Amino acid sequence: MTAPSPLRRTRLRPADLLRLGMIGPRTRRLRTALSALGISLGIAAVIAVTGISASNQAHLLARLDQLGSNLITVAPGKDQNQQTVPLPPTAEKMLANIAPVQQVTATGATKAEVYRNDLVPKEQTGSITVLATRLNLLDVLHATLRSGRWLDGASENLPVTVLGDQAAQRLGVTTPGERVWLGGQWYAVTGILTPNELAPELATAALVGWPQATAHLGADGTAATVYLRSHPERVPDVQAVAGATANPAAPGKVAVSRPSDLLTARNETKGALTGLVLSLAAVALLVGGVGIANTMVVGVMERRGEIGLRRALGARGGQIAAQFLLEAVLMGFIGGIGGLVTGSLTVYGYALVQGWPASIPLYTIATGPAVSVTVAALAGIYPALRAARASPTDALRSA
């Protein structure tokens, strides 16, 4: 008679462990769904809070940039005798070569005067200036027309002008198509600007195409004012080098605008934290974790017979613990995915209603399910250890 071979310990394969872990969620669907819902609400709150905050922030930053938080003006400065030092002819092109600069435009001075007609005395100019202008002026300044149309590639070579709103009022021009006496000849008014807070000097100006002003109105081709749109994060850097770039021979004789209060407001807006709301979302996440822990504890108590039978058949404590811990992780994963979808739909829906650009930080999308799984795993540790320590005889006796 041969001796029986000694029993060997076996390990559960991952597939078997997964099947065991699915027993609880499959057999107790309602309780599993309610527990996952707790985690789902926490993750959805985190996604919604961060997404709505990011969308609101993107909207505010875009509005501040549109208003001019990243706008810098460069103009001729004065020397020690308070005499204006003109910018070099290359200033505009040199400023455009600064890496963070996104857009550049300019206006230039002319020697022309503008009147309502050729009968108005020359001294009655109405303090209206005639400026040469680049075609992209409206784009850079985010300016608009009250009526009419802006200059284009054809009209910048013709005797036509666009008037600022105050200039049109002083000249008595109410609609495009009327004519004014400008530089000793008739010019057709093609458009009238709306007031622009970024460049208030345009309100009292008559704007003429750069080639037309150079050829017929005495403009020397140099810029009187250069407008720069910089990358919002690099405004101070551009401001620091703008003077030396525009006029390398006399950088101290260049007037560079200071960053406006809008830039300060932009930085404060970007740096604002949603700490309070994120705390509320964390509380919701904690509540979901407590719900999973409670579900797992109750599950261990209800399934003592199953635990005792498995232990009696040779299942080790670690295998029992792994089963219950996996159940908790699965509930956390299901809740995390559900929260991610719910939170994302909330953000996109709210942004659509508000007319904001929808923005959900990538780190939130990546960490949301990971956090839910982590919380569920932590919540399931105690119930899993309790199940692992259960004695087979005591478990079967109480079943």
Side-chain angles (χ1 to χ4, degrees):
M1 182 174 179
T2 59
S5 59
L7 295 176
R8 293 181 301 172
R9 286 190 173 186
T10 58
R11 293 183 179 181
L12 286 176
R13 293 177 300 177
D16 296 330
L17 183 60
L18 180 62
R19 282 195 292 268
L20 287 173
M22 290 296 295
I23 291 176
R26 283 203 313 266
T27 57
R28 293 167 176 82
R29 296 180 181 179
L30 179 59
R31 183 173 294 170
T32 300
L34 292 176
S35 299
L37 180 62
I39 281 286
S40 179
L41 291 177
I43 295 297
V46 172
I47 298 292
V49 165
T50 55
I52 291 175
S53 298
S55 300
N56 187 21
Q57 186 182 79
H59 171 71
L60 291 176
L61 293 179
R63 288 288 298 153
L64 289 174
D65 290 343
Q66 185 176 17
L67 291 174
S69 64
N70 62 338
L71 181 71
I72 299 174
T73 59
V74 178
K78 294 184 178 181
D79 58 16
Q80 60 273 18
N81 299 321
Q82 298 301 308
Q83 298 294 320
T84 301
V85 180
L87 295 175
T90 58
E92 188 179 352
K93 182 180 294 186
M94 294 295 291
L95 289 169
N97 290 330
I98 301 176
V101 172
Q102 299 170 329
Q103 291 178 296
V104 177
T105 192
T107 58
T110 70
K111 298 179 180 179
E113 302 288 352
V114 58
Y115 307 93
R116 185 65 181 89
N117 54 53
D118 55 349
L119 302 178
V120 177
K122 290 186 178 182
E123 62 273 9
Q124 296 182 10
T125 61
S127 299
I128 300 173
T129 57
V130 179
L131 299 175
T133 184
R134 300 295 188 188
L135 295 181
N136 64 339
L137 183 69
L138 295 190
D139 293 334
V140 176
L141 295 180
H142 296 160
T144 56
L145 291 168
R146 188 178 73 190
S147 58
R149 56 186 176 84
W150 179 242
L151 303 171
D152 55 30
S155 61
E156 69 171 348
N157 297 284
L158 300 175
V160 297
T161 182
V162 175
L163 301 177
D165 61 303
Q166 294 184 28
Q169 183 179 4
R170 294 175 187 178
L171 291 171
V173 176
T174 57
T175 58
E178 300 184 42
R179 297 192 305 170
V180 294
W181 188 252
L182 193 155
Q185 61 177 314
W186 291 105
Y187 273 64
V189 177
T190 61
I192 300 174
L193 295 174
T194 55
N196 188 287
E197 295 181 357
L198 301 182
E201 64 274 11
L202 300 183
T204 57
L207 305 174
V208 180
W210 201 280
Q212 175 71 11
T214 303
H216 302 285
L217 302 178
D220 60 5
T222 62
T225 304
V226 181
Y227 302 95
L228 310 177
R229 282 278 181 181
S230 168
H231 189 283
E233 308 295 337
R234 305 291 299 278
V235 171
D237 298 333
V238 175
Q239 183 202 16
V241 302
T245 304
N247 191 351
K253 298 174 183 177
V254 178
V256 181
S257 67
R258 297 173 59 86
S260 66
D261 293 337
L262 289 173
L263 180 60
T264 303
R266 186 188 192 280
N267 293 334
E268 291 177 353
T269 299
K270 185 176 181 181
L273 299 176
T274 55
L276 176 62
V277 189
L278 286 177
S279 299
L280 296 176
V283 170
L285 195 60
L286 178 62
V287 170
V290 172
I292 286 182
N294 180 63
T295 300
M296 297 304 300
V297 169
V298 173
V300 169
M301 297 176 63
E302 290 181 345
R303 297 163 66 185
R304 290 177 65 87
E306 174 191 337
I307 295 171
L309 180 60
R310 289 197 59 211
R311 290 299 305 275
L313 293 175
R316 299 192 301 273
Q319 295 173 339
I320 300 295
Q323 173 188 347
F324 282 88
L325 188 61
L326 182 58
E327 288 186 15
V329 169
L330 287 174
M331 283 191 287
F333 179 75
I334 295 171
I337 297 300
L340 178 61
V341 173
T342 303
S344 300
L345 292 176
T346 301
V347 171
Y348 279 93
Y350 190 82
L352 180 63
V353 172
Q354 296 293 331
W356 298 346
S359 176
I360 301 177
L362 292 178
Y363 68 86
T364 305
I365 297 176
T367 58
V371 168
S372 68
V373 169
T374 302
V375 170
L378 293 175
I381 289 177
Y382 171 72
L385 293 178
R386 182 172 178 176
R389 289 196 298 265
S391 169
T393 55
D394 292 340
L396 289 172
R397 188 181 302 115
S398 61

